[in-house]
């Protein structure tokens, strides 16, 4: 009988180990409607091999999941996405992506536990899929920024017009991003961190 030696146990890759200089870890969450690019953003920004829970879409979701505008999408996140990015030598962000379909939103309770803030990823071709997402964050009292994922055919609108359409307070940042590029995703996360810092800073005077 062949038993595996304890010497052959596979651990994490060296590239996935937490940097020795890291002193602070922060949990943030990427949310948004179905097909807005959450899995892409987590994957592009992560410095480690991201964890994804994508499954092939089947007929079971027909009539349940709203695929309007993303008819060519063939897979979907059913639990979460996970990645990590070092903002500095000391600060590390753990990034969790939520499932977009409403039938999986019950998983948000666990994913938001301990999170300091969120990024709402928005597709300007389908603003309506963001309304309920933003409403849930506001109900939970979770601070967030809005990132407009620039798909090739996405229409552009003035920032204040978008703020009105999404019913956002004037202090909530709105930034454009390309979820496919690490630099753009990092800029979005830095915007969130700066916003959280402003919220935590004592009032002047």
């Amino acid at each position: 009988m062949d038993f595996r030696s304890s010497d052959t146990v596979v651990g994490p890759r060296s590239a996935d180990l937490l940097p020795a200089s890291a002193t602070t870890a922060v949990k943030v969450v990427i949310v948004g409607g179905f097909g807005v690019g959450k899995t892409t953003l987590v994957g592009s920004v992560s410095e480690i091999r991201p964890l994804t829970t994508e499954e092939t879409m089947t007929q079971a979701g027909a009539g349940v999941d709203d695929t309007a505008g993303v008819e060519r999408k063939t897979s979907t996140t059913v639990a979460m996405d996970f990645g990590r990015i070092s903002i500095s030598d000391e600060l590390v962000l753990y990034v969790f992506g939520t499932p977009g379909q409403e039938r999986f939103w019950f998983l948000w309770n666990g994913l938001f536990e301990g999170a300091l803030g969120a990024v709402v990823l928005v597709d300007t071709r389908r603003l309506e899929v963001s309304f309920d997402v933003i409403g849930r964050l506001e109900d939970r009292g979770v601070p967030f920024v809005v990132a407009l994922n620039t798909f090739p055919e996405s229409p552009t609108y003035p920032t204040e017009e978008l703020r009105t359409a999404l019913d956002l307070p004037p202090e909530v940042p709105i930034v454009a991003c390309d979820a496919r590029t690490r630099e753009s995703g990092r800029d979005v996360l830095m915007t969130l961190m700066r916003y959280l810092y402003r919220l935590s800073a004592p009032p002047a005077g």
Side-chain angles (χ1 to χ4, degrees):
M1 186 175 293
D2 180 25
F3 290 95
R4 287 182 177 268
S5 166
S6 60
D7 293 336
T8 64
V9 174
V10 178
R13 302 182 309 165
S14 59
D16 294 345
L17 296 176
L18 189 66
S21 59
T23 59
T24 304
V26 173
K27 179 181 180 181
V28 298
V29 182
I30 311 296
V31 302
F34 178 56
V36 297
K38 300 180 296 298
T39 298
T40 300
L41 178 59
V42 173
S44 65
V45 80
S46 180
E47 64 195 14
I48 62 173
R49 181 173 49 195
L51 166 69
T52 63
T53 57
E54 288 230 307
E55 296 291 343
T56 301
M57 296 174 65
T58 66
Q59 280 300 113
V64 178
D65 298 328
D66 183 5
T67 58
V70 286
E71 292 85 0
R72 289 178 294 178
K73 188 170 172 60
T74 59
S75 62
T76 183
T77 298
V78 297
M80 69 172 185
D81 302 310
F82 171 75
R84 189 189 77 207
I85 179 173
S86 297
I87 297 298
S88 67
D89 289 341
E90 296 80 22
L91 177 61
V92 171
L93 299 188
Y94 291 114
V95 184
F96 290 79
T98 64
Q101 297 103 310
E102 190 170 351
R103 61 190 169 113
F104 293 128
W105 281 5
F106 68 92
L107 296 168
W108 285 29
N109 294 330
L111 291 175
F112 271 90
E113 187 174 346
L116 289 191
V119 172
V120 179
L121 200 58
V122 170
D123 180 353
T124 58
R125 300 170 302 177
R126 301 179 296 123
L127 284 178
E128 68 281 358
V129 304
S130 303
F131 298 156
D132 287 343
V133 172
I134 291 173
R136 287 173 69 88
L137 291 180
E138 291 175 336
D139 290 343
R140 290 171 174 268
V142 177
F144 63 91
V145 302
V146 170
L148 310 174
N149 193 10
T150 53
F151 291 91
E153 63 273 25
S154 296
T156 58
Y157 302 100
T159 299
E160 288 313 307
E161 188 174 325
L162 283 169
R163 187 178 300 279
T164 299
L166 296 172
D167 195 22
L168 297 174
E171 67 273 11
V172 173
I174 302 176
V175 295
C177 78
D178 183 340
R180 300 168 297 180
T181 68
R182 188 171 194 268
E183 294 77 11
S184 185
R186 182 186 173 96
D187 288 346
V188 169
L189 293 173
M190 288 298 297
T191 298
L192 174 61
M193 297 309 294
R194 286 191 290 267
Y195 179 53
L196 293 175
Y197 178 78
R198 290 202 304 271
L199 293 178
S200 65

